[in-house]
Amino acid sequence: MNQRKGLRIGIHHEILILGGGNAGVGVAARLRHSGRTDIGLIEPSGVHCYQPLWTLVGGGVVLASGGTVTYDYLVVSPGIQLDWDKVPGMAWAIESPAASSNYRYDLAPPRPGT
């Protein structure tokens, strides 16, 4: 969004993708390779972590800045939501040496040389 002298200027894309992880970027790349050129991608995270073995809105989007983005087509790929409490004992286990997960960065096995 562009802001000039307190004015909010909206942005419009033919296709808007919410989520800049593997799925969102993959969809954007496929669309671009198919000839689509007006693609927007919104990702609130400043960092995207990729580790081997990690799992490969009606009228517009309001950004944290207050700006808006409208679209003709919307792709939503915000990633997974971890909910360890849904499996009895899992929240305890995941914090113990008894379990690990490739879905949490601090528990994923480190890459060689890191």
Side-chain angles (χ1 to χ4, degrees):
M1 179 184 111
N2 297 320
Q3 285 192 355
R4 294 185 183 162
K5 297 182 183 179
L7 297 176
R8 291 183 179 169
I9 301 169
I11 299 171
H12 178 85
H13 290 287
E14 178 188 10
I15 302 167
L16 180 62
I17 300 171
L18 298 181
N22 294 340
V25 171
V27 168
R30 287 176 151 262
L31 289 167
R32 183 70 176 103
H33 288 298
S34 75
R36 301 295 188 148
T37 58
D38 187 12
I39 303 165
L41 191 141
I42 296 175
E43 170 56 48
S45 240
V47 176
H48 171 69
C49 299
Y50 174 77
Q51 287 276 340
L53 299 178
W54 280 18
T55 304
L56 299 168
V57 181
V61 175
V62 178
L63 305 175
S65 66
T68 60
V69 181
T70 59
Y71 48 84
D72 294 326
Y73 302 94
L74 176 65
V75 176
V76 180
S77 58
I80 63 173
Q81 175 64 42
L82 300 176
D83 197 346
W84 305 116
D85 292 320
K86 293 291 183 181
V87 177
M90 182 60 77
W92 171 86
I94 206 68
E95 298 299 333
S96 77
S100 184
S101 173
N102 60 343
Y103 290 102
R104 208 169 92 183
Y105 181 78
D106 61 319
L107 296 177
R111 293 179 17 189
T114 58

